[in-house]
Amino acid sequence: LTDRAFQGVYPIGSTIKPIVAIAALENGLYKQGETIKCVKYYKLFSDYQPECMSYHGSIVLKTALAKSCNYFFYELGRRVTATKLTDYYRQFGLGVATGVEVDDSKGIILDVEDGTGDTLQIAIGQLNAFTPLQLANYTATLANGGTHYRASLIDKIVSYDISTVYERSEPEVLNEIEMSDSNLSAVKEGMLSVTEDGTGRLALGDYPIKVGGKTGTSQVDGKADHSVFIAFAPFDNPEIAISVVLENGNSGFSAGTVVREILDAYFFADYNDTEDTVPFTVLE
């Protein structure tokens, strides 16, 4: 009986990386165009050397987001520090109340000591855990340029026969995140590359509308990884933000196929008044 969208909490994997990039760029700890050389094993500590999925070589931010290079974001996390990362996560609504009108979880956000291996882990979306609602709201905040709104399910309150509108819900701004246009654009371009030629390409590479996205896989002890995907579209003028979490879905691609179906339903479903139309039918 758990409403997983509002009360289920999950490590969100690499979908956290756009926030890590924003934190590094805004604090002058990474310069656009700077290359970081991924040699797979991150050897900052003698006793803890986490690895990347591959040897990516010298890459810039756009490529690091597209290929979801853990080594790149271990390094950004080290530079930013756990304290600053956690502050940015909260600014984007992760680990804090969403304000939605139903019972929901604040998620789990740990007090991580700077300069430890845990700093590297929270920089790639492990240890902390958040709800799909928080994830969708963070995606919307990034897509709209940094305005973090209270989550709401209510558009308006009307009479039983819908003839009278008693109250309309107005968007409530919780906070504004400082991001330069240049830095935001750099991160969003990386998210476009995710869907066009990166880890989200198989699900959305041929999609007729440009989509910004980020895949994620989060580890679960003794079980298959969770599959996570965030997306916003259209890329140049976003109307919709999506988060999908598939428990033990194994890879980001699995959640990406669900994202595609949601986009189909939003942009291409056939709505008319004919009796033979099935609601929410996706056009072939």
Side-chain angles (χ1 to χ4, degrees), residues 90-227:
R90 289 194 171 108
Q91 287 187 58
F92 276 93
L94 301 177
V96 298
T98 67
V100 74
E101 297 89 352
V102 297
D103 185 32
D104 70 331
S105 172
K106 291 183 179 180
I108 300 169
I109 194 161
L110 301 182
D111 183 14
V112 172
E113 184 179 350
D114 292 335
T116 64
D118 285 349
T119 300
L120 309 185
Q121 287 299 300
I122 68 169
I124 62 164
Q126 296 295 137
L127 302 183
N128 294 323
F130 309 114
T131 68
L133 174 62
Q134 289 175 319
L135 193 52
N137 209 13
Y138 136 50
T139 305
T141 302
L142 184 70
N144 73 31
T147 302
H148 175 213
Y149 290 97
R150 179 178 68 86
S152 177
L153 297 171
I154 299 174
D155 175 49
K156 57 188 174 183
I157 299 173
V158 300
S159 60
Y160 181 79
D161 61 0
I162 319 180
S163 63
T164 304
V165 176
Y166 295 121
E167 183 179 337
R168 291 188 182 274
S169 177
E170 295 295 332
E172 180 183 341
V173 177
L174 297 180
N175 60 282
E176 297 275 359
I177 301 165
E178 292 187 12
M179 296 184 286
S180 73
D181 291 343
S182 176
N183 289 339
L184 178 61
S185 178
V187 172
K188 290 172 74 173
E189 285 295 328
M191 297 178 73
L192 178 62
S193 187
V194 167
T195 63
E196 291 190 336
D197 51 31
T199 54
R201 176 181 58 82
L202 289 177
L204 293 168
D206 62 347
Y207 204 71
I209 295 171
K210 285 189 174 183
V211 180
K214 186 70 194 77
T215 57
T217 53
S218 55
Q219 297 175 353
V220 185
D221 289 341
K223 297 181 180 180
D225 294 343
H226 293 324
S227 173

Side-chain angles (χ1 to χ4, degrees), residues 29-48:
L29 300 168
Y30 174 81
K31 301 295 184 183
Q32 291 187 41
E34 177 189 352
T35 61
I36 293 175
K37 187 176 182 179
C38 168
V39 295
K40 191 172 183 178
Y41 294 96
Y42 192 77
K43 298 181 178 180
L44 177 66
F45 306 106
S46 59
D47 58 343
Y48 173 63

Side-chain angles (χ1 to χ4, degrees), residues 36-113:
I36 293 175
K37 187 176 182 179
C38 168
V39 295
K40 191 172 183 178
Y41 294 96
Y42 192 77
K43 298 181 178 180
L44 177 66
F45 306 106
S46 59
D47 58 343
Y48 173 63
Q49 299 181 350
E51 63 181 296
C52 191
M53 296 174 291
S54 180
Y55 293 92
H56 292 113
S58 296
I59 55 175
V60 295
L61 176 61
K62 180 178 179 180
T63 307
L65 285 168
K67 296 183 180 297
S68 205
C69 174
N70 282 348
Y71 187 103
F72 192 99
F73 286 92
Y74 291 145
E75 175 60 17
L76 291 194
R78 180 196 67 79
R79 296 181 187 184
V80 175
T81 73
T83 301
K84 285 185 179 178
L85 284 179
T86 300
D87 176 58
Y88 271 86
Y89 297 165
R90 289 194 171 108
Q91 287 187 58
F92 276 93
L94 301 177
V96 298
T98 67
V100 74
E101 297 89 352
V102 297
D103 185 32
D104 70 331
S105 172
K106 291 183 179 180
I108 300 169
I109 194 161
L110 301 182
D111 183 14
V112 172
E113 184 179 350

